Amino acid sequence: MFTGSIVALITPMDIKGNLCKESLQRLIKYHINSGTKAIVIMGTTGEAATLTYNEHIDVIMYALDFSEKKIPIIAGTGFNSTSKSIKMISILENSGIIGCLNITPYYNRPTQEGLYQHFKEIANNTKLPQILYNVPSRTGCDLLPKTIYKLSKISNIVGIKEATGDLSRVNKIKNLIKNNFFLISGDDKTAFEFMLLGGDGIISVTANIVASKMSKFCNYIKEKKINKAKKINKELIILHNQLFLESNPIPIKWAVKRLGLIKNDKMRLPMTPLTEYNQKIIENTLKKLKLI
């Protein structure tokens, strides 16, 4: 369930900053038709931090409805409050999601013991599969391999989205954990090397606009067609980098709009639109890749 190309989906909004259900439905159909293995809804790329608690749940429920069980939905349910995560997951327990993606608590800067207790408490309050999410550049704390190993012993903690960009983490985690534990890249630009080292897939930002290519890329690695995967990676590497010229999801949301998949690139403050300077840079790359 947690392998291959999984998209970290944007949340389309109307001009007033409310969810655009029509665009969300269009995006989900796009990923169903493009071979994307699963959708992460309400993650970092989905602007979960600027939506209200009720909106967060609504977006997940709409995604489940629009998916029509044709593509698995993974819900972002991570907060810097353990109790908030538990409350949200309890609401989603029988909703139809296949699992939860829980980010390390941001701003609090918990110790490794605090991180262990946080994820353990969440897992103990649900039967849903739990995926850990480690992205120190955004949270201010780093979930270390030894703590991941301890957490992997909890039966419904099934994997980790590792977004440090540190490729040495793959072997460190694999050497500690011998059971079935999914290692998922959270960094497009190092995903090729990550998967060659034994990673199972990627939760991808870039897949928002090149879903079919990212799906083929992951399938080629699984099929040991490394040269074909390498060719796609070489083609997309400039895009992987440019989509982080400004804080995610600012560039990707503009690019999705530029491809005509959503009506506008409206974001909520404190997130602001992509600058005209960077629009031109990404526009040129989209043209070179024949995406527009």
Side-chain angles (χ1 to χ4, degrees):
M1 293 190 295
F2 307 113
T3 63
S5 178
I6 301 168
V7 65
L9 197 70
I10 64 160
T11 298
M13 297 177 184
D14 62 25
I15 199 67
K16 294 182 179 180
N18 299 314
L19 172 68
C20 180
K21 290 185 280 187
E22 180 186 342
S23 293
L24 179 62
Q25 188 170 23
R26 187 185 305 121
L27 289 175
I28 291 173
K29 285 184 179 179
Y30 165 71
H31 286 285
I32 291 170
N33 294 333
S34 299
T36 300
K37 289 293 180 70
I39 291 172
V40 167
I41 198 85
M42 284 287 90
T44 303
T45 310
E47 299 176 72
T50 58
L51 271 68
T52 68
Y53 198 86
N54 288 336
E55 287 175 326
H56 193 128
I57 294 168
D58 286 345
V59 174
I60 294 167
M61 300 308 291
Y62 281 124
L64 283 164
D65 184 34
F66 296 150
S67 72
E68 298 178 333
K69 298 184 179 180
K70 293 178 181 177
I71 189 168
I73 302 294
I74 301 166
T77 53
F79 294 89
N80 61 348
S81 163
T82 308
S83 61
K84 282 185 179 179
S85 289
I86 292 171
K87 180 183 176 183
M88 178 163 288
I89 293 170
S90 70
I91 294 169
L92 299 171
E93 188 75 37
N94 299 306
S95 64
I97 62 171
I98 65 162
C100 303
L101 181 69
N102 289 319
I103 197 165
T104 52
Y106 42 89
Y107 188 77
N108 297 335
R109 298 184 67 194
T111 63
Q112 292 302 301
E113 179 61 20
L115 289 169
Y116 173 74
Q117 294 294 340
H118 169 77
F119 289 117
K120 178 185 176 183
E121 187 71 10
I122 292 171
N124 285 344
N125 279 275
T126 181
K127 293 180 181 178
L128 284 167
Q130 303 293 300
I131 304 171
L132 311 171
Y133 178 14
N134 189 36
V135 56
S137 63
R138 296 192 77 125
T139 63
C141 65
D142 188 1
L143 187 63
L144 298 178
K146 287 185 178 179
T147 309
I148 297 168
Y149 166 65
K150 284 175 64 180
L151 288 165
S152 72
K153 294 181 180 181
I154 300 169
S155 62
N156 61 332
I157 294 181
V158 299
I160 183 168
K161 176 185 176 182
E162 177 59 52
T164 60
D166 180 358
L167 292 169
S168 71
R169 287 291 178 94
V170 181
N171 284 331
K172 287 176 183 176
I173 295 169
K174 287 181 74 69
N175 288 337
L176 287 168
I177 303 171
K178 305 301 180 184
N179 62 349
N180 229 355
F181 189 80
F182 295 101
L183 292 180
I184 308 166
S185 172
D187 182 55
D188 281 288
K189 63 181 178 291
T190 59
F192 178 64
E193 294 84 359
F194 187 100
M195 291 184 69
L196 288 184
L197 290 168
D200 297 293
I202 178 169
I203 295 176
S204 170
V205 172
T206 308
N208 277 281
I209 55 173
V210 285
S212 181
K213 283 186 181 293
M214 289 303 297
S215 178
K216 289 177 182 178
F217 164 75
C218 290
N219 289 339
Y220 284 147
I221 294 179
K222 183 179 179 181
E223 296 163 4
K224 309 293 185 185
K225 298 176 181 178
I226 306 304
N227 285 336
K228 288 186 175 182
K230 187 176 183 180
K231 183 179 178 181
I232 292 176
N233 187 64
K234 185 177 180 180
E235 177 186 349
L236 296 181
I237 194 68
I238 187 171
L239 197 56
H240 294 330
N241 285 300
Q242 288 181 356
L243 290 176
F244 289 86
L245 285 172
E246 296 178 32
S247 296
N248 181 46
I250 293 172
I252 189 60
K253 202 163 195 182
W254 179 86
V256 175
K257 178 207 167 190
R258 184 64 185 85
L259 266 63
L261 292 169
I262 58 176
K263 293 181 179 180
N264 65 75
D265 59 342
K266 178 70 175 180
M267 307 185 81
R268 289 186 181 177
L269 290 171
M271 306 307 286
T272 52
L274 187 67
T275 61
E276 289 188 14
Y277 180 82
N278 285 328
Q279 285 180 26
K280 292 175 182 177
I281 292 173
I282 296 175
E283 171 104 1
N284 288 335
T285 297
L286 295 178
K287 287 178 178 176
K288 286 178 183 177
L289 294 174
K290 299 180 180 179
L291 295 173
I292 54 174

